Amino acid sequence: MGPADTLGARTLYTYTPDSTARYLIAEPQPDLLSPNLTVEAALDSLGRRLADGYFREWRGEPTGISFETVEVVTLPTPPDSVRIAVVNMADPDSVAVRAFFQGSSGGLISSLMIEAMLMQPSLDIREQRPLLDGLVLLYNGRRFPFGQPEHAPLHYVQRPPVGRYIGSR
C-alpha cells in the first residue's frame, strides 16, 4: 500500500440537510479521519456516518440501511488519475423507496446527501480535489432502480455535486 492508496492529509466533511432552506445541504462540518486510512476504509466510515445520520430512521423506526464499498478503481489519466468507486446501498426492507426517494425534493436531497458524503466535493477546488471523481451507486447489489433523472439520477455514474446546493463557508 503506497501513499496513493491512502487518504493522505485532507479534511473530510459531514453533510446534513439545510434546515434554513437556503441551500439543499447545510454548511459541511469538518470530520477528521486518520491520513493512514485507505480510500476504501474512508468510504466505509463515511457510509456508516451517512447511514447512522441521514438514513438512520423513518417514522421513528430504524431503517437498517447501510453502505458498503464494493470497489475503488483508480484510472491513470495524465497529468493525474481519476478515482471511481462502486458503493452498495443495502436496504433490506426497501425503506428508501418509500421514505427517502419519494417526490422530487426527497429524491434530490437524498441523492445529494449520498453524493456529498461519499464523494467529498470541495467548495474551493484550489483547496483540495473531491475524494472521488465518480461514483456508481448500487441498491441492494444492483444498479439504482428508481428516480427520475432530474430528481434522483443515481442510476448513472455520479460526479461530485456542485457548490450551489451546499452552504458556503
Side-chain angles (χ1 to χ4, degrees), residues 24-41:
L24 294 176
I25 299 178
E27 182 176 325
Q29 299 302 309
D31 194 358
L32 302 176
L33 294 176
S34 168
N36 297 325
L37 284 179
T38 64
V39 173
E40 291 87 348

Side-chain angles (χ1 to χ4, degrees), residues 1-10 34-40 74 81 83 131:
M1 180 171 68
D5 300 324
T6 60
L7 193 58
R10 67 173 293 134
S34 168
N36 297 325
L37 284 179
T38 64
V39 173
E40 291 87 348
T74 303
S81 57
R83 187 181 297 140
L131 178 62

Side-chain angles (χ1 to χ4, degrees), residues 154-166:
L154 294 170
H155 49 280
Y156 299 120
V157 176
Q158 302 304 300
R159 294 182 8 203
V162 294
R164 69 175 186 238
Y165 296 118
I166 302 171

Side-chain angles (χ1 to χ4, degrees), residues 2-135:
D5 300 324
T6 60
L7 193 58
R10 67 173 293 134
T11 302
L12 297 178
Y13 295 94
T14 298
Y15 294 87
T16 57
D18 187 0
S19 61
T20 69
R22 184 169 177 214
Y23 297 95
L24 294 176
I25 299 178
E27 182 176 325
Q29 299 302 309
D31 194 358
L32 302 176
L33 294 176
S34 168
N36 297 325
L37 284 179
T38 64
V39 173
E40 291 87 348
L43 285 172
D44 286 340
S45 179
L46 292 166
R48 279 190 300 279
R49 288 180 170 111
L50 183 60
D52 292 343
Y54 184 74
F55 290 100
R56 180 183 183 98
E57 62 181 41
W58 182 58
R59 294 187 176 170
E61 296 292 322
T63 64
I65 293 173
S66 64
F67 292 85
E68 53 200 35
T69 304
V70 176
E71 182 177 20
V72 177
V73 178
T74 303
L75 304 171
T77 54
D80 52 18
S81 57
V82 173
R83 187 181 297 140
I84 300 173
V86 178
V87 174
N88 184 48
M89 179 181 186
D91 183 11
D93 297 322
S94 299
V95 175
V97 179
R98 299 184 311 273
F100 296 100
F101 291 96
Q102 284 296 316
S104 58
S105 295
L108 179 61
I109 292 171
S110 295
S111 61
L112 284 172
M113 287 297 300
I114 292 168
E115 294 165 2
M117 280 292 287
L118 298 179
M119 300 180 81
Q120 293 291 304
S122 177
L123 298 178
D124 182 355
I125 197 70
R126 296 167 296 182
E127 184 180 305
Q128 67 183 13
R129 286 181 56 185
L131 178 62
L132 300 175
D133 299 293
L135 171 68

Side-chain angles (χ1 to χ4, degrees), residues 88 137-145:
N88 184 48
L137 185 70
L138 304 177
Y139 181 75
N140 291 327
R142 301 177 63 130
R143 290 295 293 267
F144 220 82

